Amino acid sequence: MSRAEAPAPSAPELQWVNRFASLPEAFYDRPAPAPFPDATCLATSPAMCRRLGLAETDLASQPWLGACTDGHPMEGPDPLASVYAGHQFGVYVPQLGDGRAKLLGEVKTASGEHWELQVKGAGRTRYSRGADGRAVLRSSIREYLISEAMAALGVPTTRAVALYGSSLQVLRERVEPGAIVLRAAPSFLRFGHFEYFHYSGYSERLRELIDYALAHDYPELADADDPVAAMLEQVIANTAEMIADWQAVGFCHGVMNTDNMSLLGLTIDYGPFAFLDAYDPGYICNHTDQGGRYAFDQQPAIAQWNLIRLAETLVIHFQDATREAAIERAKALLVDFMPRFEQAWLARMRAKLGLVEEHEGDLELSQDLLARMAAEGVDYTRFFRQLPDLEQSEIREQLEAELEDTAAWHAWWSRYQSRLQVEARPFAARRAAMNAVNPKYILRNHLAQAAIEQAEAGDTSELVRLQAILARPYDEQPEFEAYADLPPAWAAGIQLSCSS
């Protein structure tokens, strides 16, 4: 039997269900395979391999290696690229789509979980808009590491399964090695999918997409009085929780366009992201964001703005008697976003401060602390990790020696101590609880940069080491203490853009 006649090898241990591919072809394109020469598997996620029921060696060998890199056929996957639109920096773009990502398909694991598997950087699709459809090793390493780091932090996120390298050279700001990330999510549906069909006037297709989303992503809402309104309400709630997580860990997304907003409330499409170093509420991590639209302190308001754009596509399908009534209902749901976010954020701040009970004044206590941190340029992550130990006078004195306004700090510290005494929680229990929500290790830009530079030189040991450290962000790891240090001065010069 010739190679062309041989049956495609099957993927081990996975049941492919491929529900998105069952939609009409108006929803996607079927892109041609693109060569990815000398492909090698540079890293895999042990956590995701376990969830998918795969061995890490499966992803480094055939048939997975060829399917993820060159698009070689494998029994089960049904590759496609989906079409969507989006508001980019507030301006509506009528067609975007998966320009460098290809959905391999959807699998159902032995435990009953559903995961869509997607390769990013796998070459041109119909939606590439003249681009090459590729990703560079630099940006791929960043997405690979942050996806798994955010999951370990407890933040809702898409996941990274494997990272592939190649001899392919890609031109961005410079010529760089190409790479592909195999990533996974329960669903890759974005707000932009709904915008595309709504603003293009494809009302029947939009209804199909809504019904698909209800069945695929929100099946628990099938018996709701108004499933579409209930779905919007749940998306609002999930997004509020996600943004509260971002603000609590000091994470900046950088490009919160509507096409980068997940219907499930997952952090998706990592580009010029960053964690705060010194606390700066107005921090802008994307140097192309000249107006600061996506600055750290603007993320909650932008999330609400994006939800309004989603609601505009859904409201016509509410079951209210009139359009006016449906609009009023949607407005009431959207107004609820900010209180939901503020409640979720304050709960996280209480936990970061070691507080269990809800007391009046907790919001002001949290806000005043952040104002002090901003005024002093205190490192966000290190401060909260150190906070329980500041009850030791010698450690507190070390901090105070670095402050300019010690009187303001003493005033806040006195209020905080009084608040702690209200609960009379044992110190050991409080410290353990605080360390369980205040990470010691985050993916700072200089750490990612070191892993990138070594990988570009052919050494992935730092990438693998950093991945392992970030998988345990809340644990003391004495042998890796240096990874929790303040960033070096040169790190301030790292520039991040949408190709980062």
Side-chain angles (χ1 to χ4, degrees), residues 150-161:
M150 290 283 271
L153 287 168
V155 181
T157 180
T158 56
R159 303 295 299 269
V161 183

Side-chain angles (χ1 to χ4, degrees), residues 181-261:
V181 175
L182 173 62
R183 60 185 187 177
S187 171
F188 281 101
L189 279 186
R190 309 149 183 269
F191 293 8
H193 281 98
F194 297 83
E195 290 183 290
Y196 174 76
F197 291 103
H198 172 72
Y199 291 112
S200 298
Y202 302 141
S203 57
E204 291 184 7
R205 294 299 186 220
L206 176 59
R207 183 69 230 194
E208 287 180 281
L209 181 62
I210 291 171
D211 290 341
Y212 170 83
L214 285 166
H216 182 273
D217 298 325
Y218 290 103
E220 69 276 11
L221 303 179
D223 296 328
D225 293 338
D226 186 340
V228 181
M231 181 171 71
L232 176 60
E233 182 176 16
Q234 192 59 56
V235 175
I236 290 170
N238 291 348
T239 303
E241 293 289 329
M242 177 189 72
I243 299 296
D245 282 333
W246 289 7
Q247 303 303 111
V249 298
F251 173 78
C252 309
H253 185 280
V255 194
M256 288 180 65
N257 298 330
T258 57
D259 54 292
N260 292 337
M261 296 292 292

